[in-house]
Amino acid sequence: MAVLPVKFTKTKRDKLAQVLWILNWISVVTGAILFSLGLFLKVEINKRKELMAERDIQYVPNMLIAVGLIACGINFLGGKICYDCVDTTKFMRWKLIMLPYIVCTFFFTSCILVGALMCYSMRGELEESLDMGLAVAMRFYKDTDTPGRCFLKRTVDLLQIEFHCCGNNGHRDWLKIQWISNRYLDMTSKEVADRLRSNVEGKYLMDSVPFSCCNVNSPRPCIQSQISNNSAHYNYDHVTEHLNLWTRGCRQALLDHYTYIMQSIGLTVLVIWVFELSVLTGVRYLQTSDGWLLENGFMETARTNLNIIKNLGKCNQIDTANNGDPNINVPCTSKAMYGPDNVPPKQLPVAS
Amino acid sequence: MVLMKMKFPFQKRVKLAQGLWLLSWCATVAGAITFTLGCILKTELRRRGEVMDNTDIHIVPNTLMIVGLASLGINYFAGKIGQDALDAGKFPRWKSLLKPYFAISSFFTVLMLLAVIMSYAMKGSLESSLKVGLRNGIRFYKDTDTPGRCFQKQNIDRLQMEFQCCGNNDFRDWFEVQWISNRYLDFSTKEVKDRIKSNVDGRYLVDGVPFSCCNPSSPRPCIQYHLMNNSAHYNYDYQTEELNIFIRGCREALVNYYMGLMNTIGAGVLSVFLLQASVLVSLRFLQTAMEALAGNENTEIETEGYLLEKGLKETIMEYLDPVLRFLLLKNQVQEGEGPDNTVNI
């Protein structure tokens, strides 16, 4: 009982070979697209590397890059095979390789699917990484004199300006940390000394945010300091005022940005996967002489292959049934695969 | 007195025709590129159109777009004529079209050169347009409730952040303008009343700048207000402090940006101009060489080609003559109908 049998005449086979040749070349192009998508994602992640904590998210773009390169190679080989399939003399030299090629391509196609699914699953790790990275960046915002951290202020300011966001979850994150360096605080003044004393850890906390949190669309000049104090500003109510500062948190903004990129890439990779699968099916039909996907049903093929694998070991083991004598000939009961036609060599008659 | 006579044996004629065909296709692509460059420049100028007082500078991208489109047609015909030139049967059908064709193509080629010259020459006009536009933008910064001006604040803020600049000439322009609307000033407080009284026009002026002037590269949190008062901030000296706010003026920043863009585009268009001129020159040589062959049985003899039959001045007069005669004739008829109306013989 063959799986999905289709009758193939000679002309139909030739046409199939030609179509598959073109499709394989298109697949090379899609492989290159996969590669460039992986590269693009890698560049995007590295651009905001300073705002991400150490997490294993590089595996997704690396996987896409590797899969893209391998796709180019496999489909190039597939194109050559299909091109030679039309000519029966040239087809002979590919006969032996075709079955392993199809098996390899099948496993490789599942790698593409895994790559696509990984794009969607990366979100959780990315969120964690951004959360920790942004918290650290905000903590070191004031350390513009410490080597290694001196550009964090600029990075965070430019991030908030570009992505229209403020703080990690919201602008209140800035009220909980000291973002003004001690270098610019007059320790002799009473006000500063009072504030420092009133805080348990001796941090100078203020009711204000950096200038990069200011919303450009606000009709009034930006209110940065004493934002929770209604009486400090004329005609101002901090509860109802939502145009003054950016309300969105930067973690959410960055996450949305990356989710959009990864969803688009994931969708493209899924489409490429379906395409590769169809090309693989065509090549399988081309390989089999009558035109089927599997000679027997799925269960039988699986059972047969399992037996082959089990008996592979048996050839090497000494059979204890023959009283441990290794010289007695144990016939190999394993069904070796004798090429794509599966015809075992003729047994030579033993001269007696 | 013939201009630039050259001898053309048969092989050289064939090579000239082939080269012309190739050149004309390159020039067609170059014409499309010119059109695209014109579109890019126009888009960039329109993006900042709100801070420009007039649209005089738009003549440069408009000319580039017109020239780009025209050169597509010119080079297409140049290719076709070059293809037919070597065929004695097909060439005569182009004969009558060639004189107006050369006139029009020379006109557009010269226009291309003019566009490049204009892009350098109009720097002054652009600068004055920006000066007035930015001054108005800063003046109407506070009018976010006035229809027609409510987006000035957004535009100026975005402009200052993107181009890393502050004010018109520099940040001091903000000290001379009231940029905080009266809606947000508490007129009952003494401080506000004093400030308004101290000013002749009754404006509320501060020595502060909007937040969009703040420089993200500054190591310290941005100081926006009391900029000229050293004692208002700890460890601050306004004369030596360079990193706090952007010190460059927006007019200078925008002029530099646009001149840089126009210089790059001008260099590209100049090379397109040279390509186009070489196409026309080769076509002219091919045409005159083939015309000298007219009527001859043997198509493989050597002929002479030239650029202009008469001198440059005479050729220009020859082209302008019909135009002038048309205009003069109109004038003569009008003169005739004037005082001599009664003469009717």
Side-chain angles (χ1 to χ4, degrees):
Chain A
M1 185 210 79
V3 176
L4 288 181
V6 178
K7 272 281 170 260
F8 274 111
T9 56
K10 181 80 172 65
T11 43
K12 215 170 168 186
R13 268 180 77 99
D14 284 345
K15 249 207 171 108
L16 181 68
Q18 281 171 349
V19 167
L20 279 177
W21 175 69
I22 297 173
L23 285 183
N24 267 305
W25 276 107
I26 297 176
S27 293
V28 174
V29 171
T30 56
I33 292 174
L34 257 181
F35 171 77
S36 51
L37 282 177
L39 209 64
F40 170 71
L41 187 60
K42 200 172 174 73
V43 164
E44 276 293 312
I45 289 176
N46 280 344
K47 264 197 329 198
R48 315 259 167 222
K49 179 168 51 152
E50 300 147 322
L51 301 166
M52 295 191 203
E54 277 302 312
R55 277 288 180 278
D56 223 358
I57 44 175
Q58 289 287 357
Y59 67 90
V60 178
N62 289 342
M63 172 97 175
L64 285 177
I65 289 173
V67 160
L69 283 175
I70 297 175
C72 284
I74 280 189
N75 286 308
F76 179 72
L77 183 64
K80 268 204 102 44
I81 292 177
C82 292
Y83 187 70
D84 288 345
C85 272
V86 187
D87 192 355
T88 30
T89 45
K90 286 193 195 163
F91 182 55
M92 290 301 145
R93 62 176 176 164
W94 291 115
K95 255 185 170 263
L96 287 173
I97 310 180
M98 265 192 104
L99 189 63
Y101 167 78
I102 288 176
V103 171
C104 275
T105 315
F106 180 70
F107 282 118
F108 169 72
T109 315
S110 43
C111 281
I112 298 184
L113 182 65
V114 166
L117 293 174
M118 276 206 287
C119 283
Y120 292 103
S121 66
M122 197 175 118
R123 191 198 149 104
E125 294 245 341
L126 188 65
E127 182 158 9
E128 243 182 73
S129 167
L130 281 173
D131 194 22
M132 292 192 53
L134 280 171
V136 165
M138 280 170 60
R139 226 168 0 125
F140 298 143
Y141 181 85
K142 62 176 174 20
D143 296 334
T144 45
D145 53 348
T146 315
R149 298 181 201 159
C150 43
F151 284 112
L152 268 179
K153 178 183 178 293
R154 185 161 178 267
T155 310
V156 172
D157 278 336
L158 288 176
L159 174 77
Q160 294 191 145
I161 290 174
E162 187 184 331
F163 282 84
H164 296 184
C165 59
C166 187
N168 204 341
N169 302 305
H171 65 87
R172 261 168 259 277
D173 296 322
W174 288 109
L175 310 181
K176 300 174 196 157
I177 60 168
Q178 177 181 354
W179 54 272
I180 301 183
S181 173
N182 286 337
R183 296 194 318 279
Y184 308 116
L185 293 172
D186 186 6
M187 298 297 177
T188 56
S189 85
K190 187 179 176 304
E191 192 241 327
V192 174
D194 277 347
R195 239 185 226 275
L196 284 172
R197 257 199 304 259
S198 69
N199 181 261
V200 177
E201 296 152 32
K203 289 195 289 187
Y204 186 83
L205 302 181
M206 296 193 307
D207 190 16
S208 50
V209 291
F211 78 93
S212 42
C213 279
C214 287
N215 188 345
V216 177
N217 304 319
S218 166
R220 82 183 286 172
C222 185
I223 293 168
Q224 279 177 252
S225 51
Q226 296 173 299
I227 47 179
S228 318
N229 185 359
N230 283 353
S231 51
H233 314 279
Y234 182 64
N235 197 8
Y236 173 69
D237 180 11
H238 76 274
V239 178
T240 54
E241 182 70 54
H242 53 268
L243 274 178
N244 184 41
L245 304 172
W246 301 118
T247 44
R248 201 162 60 148
C250 286
R251 192 191 69 232
Q252 190 59 42
L254 276 175
L255 197 61
D256 287 345
H257 170 74
Y258 279 117
T259 307
Y260 174 69
I261 291 176
M262 286 192 302
Q263 276 178 350
S264 322
I265 290 180
L267 195 66
T268 314
V269 176
L270 274 177
V271 169
I272 292 177
W273 174 69
V274 169
F275 186 69
E276 288 273 346
L277 213 57
S278 59
V279 172
L280 179 65
T281 317
V283 175
R284 175 62 173 170
Y285 273 128
L286 199 63
Q287 181 229 351
T288 54
S289 37
D290 255 333
W292 24 256
L293 277 180
L294 292 171
E295 191 173 0
N296 310 308
F298 282 116
M299 290 310 295
E300 266 196 63
T301 317
R303 221 175 288 141
T304 320
N305 286 330
L306 214 59
N307 281 333
I308 292 170
I309 295 170
K310 264 200 263 176
N311 291 326
L312 267 177
K314 274 218 182 128
C315 281
N316 295 333
Q317 282 176 6
I318 299 169
D319 199 349
T320 47
N322 285 328
N323 296 324
D325 193 345
N327 289 329
I328 294 177
N329 195 12
V330 179
C332 267
T333 51
S334 60
K335 265 208 222 152
M337 299 291 265
Y338 295 107
D341 289 333
N342 209 3
V343 176
K346 273 219 297 242
Q347 293 286 348
L348 293 167
V350 179
S352 48
Chain B
M1 186 206 70
V2 187
L3 193 66
M4 282 198 72
K5 222 190 314 198
M6 271 179 76
K7 290 214 180 295
F8 281 105
F10 178 64
Q11 277 306 318
K12 206 171 176 185
R13 276 208 302 276
V14 171
K15 274 218 166 69
L16 183 66
Q18 287 170 339
L20 175 65
W21 182 79
L22 192 64
L23 265 180
S24 70
W25 276 111
C26 293
T28 313
V29 171
I33 292 176
T34 311
F35 177 75
T36 320
L37 287 175
C39 286
I40 290 173
L41 186 58
K42 196 164 176 81
T43 316
E44 280 296 311
L45 283 170
R46 282 187 70 151
R47 265 175 69 185
R48 304 285 163 203
E50 301 107 357
V51 292
M52 291 191 203
D53 185 46
N54 56 44
T55 51
D56 285 349
I57 189 73
H58 281 249
I59 195 169
V60 175
N62 290 344
T63 315
L64 281 178
M65 290 201 289
I66 291 171
V67 164
L69 284 175
S71 82
L72 284 175
I74 291 172
N75 291 308
Y76 172 73
F77 279 114
K80 276 211 102 54
I81 295 174
Q83 238 179 341
D84 289 345
L86 285 177
D87 189 350
K90 289 191 192 163
F91 191 57
R93 68 176 173 167
W94 293 109
K95 266 194 167 5
S96 53
L97 288 173
L98 276 171
K99 202 166 176 196
Y101 171 81
F102 274 115
I104 294 173
S105 12
S106 323
F107 169 69
F108 279 112
T109 313
V110 167
L111 200 62
M112 204 184 281
L113 192 63
L114 271 179
V116 176
I117 295 173
M118 265 198 298
S119 73
Y120 292 105
M122 295 203 76
K123 177 177 171 175
S125 158
L126 177 68
E127 192 156 357
S128 54
S129 163
L130 280 172
K131 188 173 184 173
V132 175
L134 280 169
R135 197 180 62 213
N136 286 340
I138 290 173
R139 242 185 329 152
F140 303 143
Y141 183 86
K142 63 175 174 20
D143 297 334
T144 45
D145 53 347
T146 314
R149 296 183 199 162
C150 42
F151 288 111
Q152 285 288 15
K153 178 181 180 295
Q154 260 187 55
N155 293 333
I156 297 286
D157 279 336
R158 287 209 171 100
L159 178 77
Q160 293 190 146
M161 288 201 289
E162 190 179 324
F163 283 85
Q164 299 186 339
C165 59
C166 188
N168 202 342
N169 303 305
D170 62 12
F171 64 90
R172 271 171 266 264
D173 297 319
W174 290 107
F175 301 165
E176 296 154 16
V177 165
Q178 177 181 351
W179 55 273
I180 303 176
S181 174
N182 285 337
R183 297 196 314 280
Y184 310 115
L185 291 172
D186 187 3
F187 284 97
S188 55
T189 61
K190 188 178 174 307
E191 191 242 327
V192 174
K193 275 196 280 211
D194 279 347
R195 240 185 223 279
I196 290 186
K197 261 196 295 245
S198 69
N199 180 259
V200 176
D201 303 315
R203 292 185 294 174
Y204 183 82
L205 304 179
V206 290
D207 62 342
V209 290
F211 77 94
S212 43
C213 282
C214 286
N215 189 351
S217 308
S218 165
R220 84 183 286 172
C222 186
I223 293 169
Q224 275 180 255
Y225 296 102
H226 307 293
L227 281 170
M228 298 288 150
N229 187 357
N230 281 349
S231 52
H233 317 277
Y234 181 66
N235 198 7
Y236 172 70
D237 181 6
Y238 73 86
Q239 280 163 333
T240 55
E241 182 69 57
E242 284 178 341
L243 279 177
N244 183 42
I245 53 175
F246 296 124
I247 39 179
R248 196 166 61 152
C250 284
R251 193 184 71 233
E252 183 194 336
L254 280 170
V255 166
N256 284 348
Y257 172 72
Y258 281 121
M259 288 322 289
L261 192 62
M262 286 204 278
N263 282 348
T264 320
I265 289 181
V269 174
L270 211 57
S271 40
V272 173
F273 163 75
L274 289 173
L275 188 63
Q276 180 79 64
S278 63
V279 166
L280 287 179
V281 162
S282 336
L283 184 63
R284 177 66 175 165
F285 272 128
L286 189 64
Q287 177 217 357
T288 46
M290 291 307 293
E291 272 174 0
L293 200 58
N296 236 315
E297 291 266 317
N298 183 11
T299 50
E300 296 192 10
I301 56 168
E302 181 178 294
T303 50
E304 267 183 1
Y306 51 80
L307 267 186
L308 294 172
E309 206 173 342
K310 309 168 183 130
L312 188 66
K313 218 174 169 184
E314 287 148 349
T315 321
I316 293 177
M317 288 315 295
E318 194 185 316
Y319 275 97
L320 287 180
D321 230 14
V323 181
L324 284 172
R325 214 180 294 151
F326 178 70
L327 291 170
L328 280 170
L329 192 65
K330 271 192 87 173
N331 283 342
Q332 275 182 2
V333 169
Q334 282 178 355
E335 274 181 17
E337 282 181 354
D340 294 334
N341 237 341
T342 53
V343 180
N344 193 7
I345 300 164

